[in-house]
Amino acid sequence: MEHLANTEINSQRIAAVESCFGASGQPLALPGRVLLGEGVLTKECRKKAKPRIFFLFNDILVYGSIVLNKRKYRSQHIIPLEEVTLEPLPETLQAKNRWMIKTAKKSFVVSAASMTERQEWIGHIEECVRRQLLATGRPPTTEHAAPWIPDKATDICMRCTQTRFSALTRRHHCRKCGFVVCAECSRERFLLPRLSPKPLRVCSLCYRELAAQKRQEEEGEQGRGLPGQPAHLAGAIGGASSGDEDDSDEDKGESRDDDWPSRVEFYASGVSWSSFHS
């Protein structure tokens, strides 16, 4: 990849990606940054799986929503590669060519159109992660955010197993374990600094575990003569103070489903949508 750095063809490729994201995207051109590959992967979102455009650079992974393929993208997300861990997922009749992209702030599942594409993506990302960790001297990330279980995976609350979801009974997600839970089982909020500067919705079980862990930490600090804070101030907050503004994952602000290109458009041609530059 070194031979591509600071070349005209690499600059043109990065400029093309920037133009497709438009003013809503962040600038991507940096000295030494190389665009290594790009392609369409299916990302398992909260409500359903959707096609997303992915760009692999030597130091970051970028993805976004597709408005017009190879012309217009939005909802740009940038993930530093030194924070990434990959986990291949087993094959099933309903789900193939999948793997999980895990970071401290967000973890999610993607799938490729074929096993070959899956192997290419995993191999290239892992090699870039390895090089980036060597360059920065950072150890691999060991703490990862829990992936959100899709809404369609369950019709009942995964904690109380009593409440049945409907048009009137909303699904919520615990930010600690990713389970789909009812409002009654997720009344509490807790500060999870890796995910957000403000308290987030957690299920009743995770709240009890987090609060107990916080109390133990405070008792340890007091035993060492260090000033501590009560749990309700330092980490745990009850009630509905923080809202559910990010409950919809990436669905907020997107077009209606019938505005999206169909899955057939992406995968029926038999042509690989992933390309890696050399």
Side-chain angles (χ1 to χ4, degrees):
M1 65 180 73
E2 289 81 2
H3 70 278
L4 288 172
N6 305 315
T7 62
E8 183 63 25
I9 184 63
N10 180 62
S11 298
Q12 291 174 355
R13 288 169 178 164
I14 295 178
V17 175
E18 288 184 337
S19 67
C20 287
F21 278 106
S24 63
Q26 296 183 38
L28 298 172
L30 285 178
R33 176 169 287 170
V34 179
L35 176 58
L36 297 174
E38 57 194 87
V40 175
L41 299 173
T42 299
K43 180 177 179 291
E44 295 185 8
C45 301
R46 173 183 176 176
K47 293 185 177 180
K48 68 175 185 178
K50 295 182 178 180
R52 294 287 186 259
I53 185 69
F54 279 78
F55 298 95
L56 176 61
F57 295 81
N58 58 326
D59 61 335
I60 58 174
L61 182 66
V62 178
Y63 71 93
S65 304
I66 302 168
V67 180
L68 293 173
N69 191 44
K70 297 187 178 181
R71 291 189 179 182
K72 187 177 181 182
Y73 310 128
R74 65 181 173 203
S75 302
Q76 183 191 73
H77 295 261
I78 300 177
I79 305 175
L81 285 179
E82 63 264 25
E83 300 177 5
V84 169
T85 302
L86 302 186
E87 179 184 339
L89 299 176
E91 299 284 290
T92 68
L93 291 176
Q94 293 77 26
K96 297 181 180 296
N97 310 319
R98 302 159 71 236
W99 70 97
M100 188 182 299
I101 298 174
K102 302 193 294 186
T103 75
K105 292 186 177 181
K106 186 173 186 178
S107 299
F108 54 91
V109 174
V110 295
S111 60
S114 67
M115 178 59 72
T116 299
E117 280 195 27
R118 174 181 180 269
Q119 292 171 341
E120 286 185 346
W121 273 103
I122 291 177
H124 282 87
I125 293 174
E126 288 183 336
E127 176 62 16
C128 289
V129 170
R130 185 187 69 80
R131 288 173 177 250
Q132 191 65 11
L133 290 176
L134 284 174
T136 61
R138 289 180 52 175
T141 302
T142 56
E143 288 188 283
H144 305 104
W148 282 18
I149 294 175
D151 285 1
K152 64 181 181 181
T154 180
D155 291 328
I156 61 173
C157 173
M158 299 177 73
R159 282 303 178 209
C160 69
T161 68
Q162 300 295 321
T163 302
R164 184 166 294 276
F165 300 119
S166 66
L168 298 178
T169 305
R170 284 192 60 197
R171 291 171 169 84
H172 301 279
H173 278 81
C174 171
R175 303 313 195 269
K176 181 66 170 61
C177 67
F179 276 27
V180 183
V181 291
C182 65
E184 187 64 28
C185 289
S186 58
R187 288 185 173 277
E188 310 294 349
R189 305 291 188 277
F190 203 94
L191 184 63
L192 303 171
R194 289 188 295 110
L195 303 184
S196 173
K198 58 185 177 181
L200 299 174
R201 179 187 292 269
V202 293
C203 69
S204 52
L205 177 60
C206 286
Y207 178 82
R208 291 194 296 270
E209 293 176 348
L210 289 165
Q213 180 182 350
K214 188 68 180 179
R215 285 193 296 270
Q216 290 177 353
E217 292 173 355
E218 290 169 353
E219 290 170 359
E221 290 175 353
Q222 292 171 357
R224 295 191 300 271
L226 299 174
Q229 273 188 306
H232 70 281
L233 294 178
I237 296 183
S241 58
S242 74
D244 264 349
E245 63 278 357
D246 61 337
D247 236 12
S248 58
D249 193 21
E250 294 165 24
D251 294 317
K252 181 177 288 186
E254 290 191 349
S255 303
R256 302 184 312 274
D257 288 339
D258 54 9
D259 289 334
W260 285 84
S262 69
R263 184 179 180 90
V264 173
E265 180 179 338
F266 290 114
Y267 299 125
S269 66
V271 178
S272 172
W273 279 87
S274 297
S275 59
F276 293 94
H277 310 308
S278 60

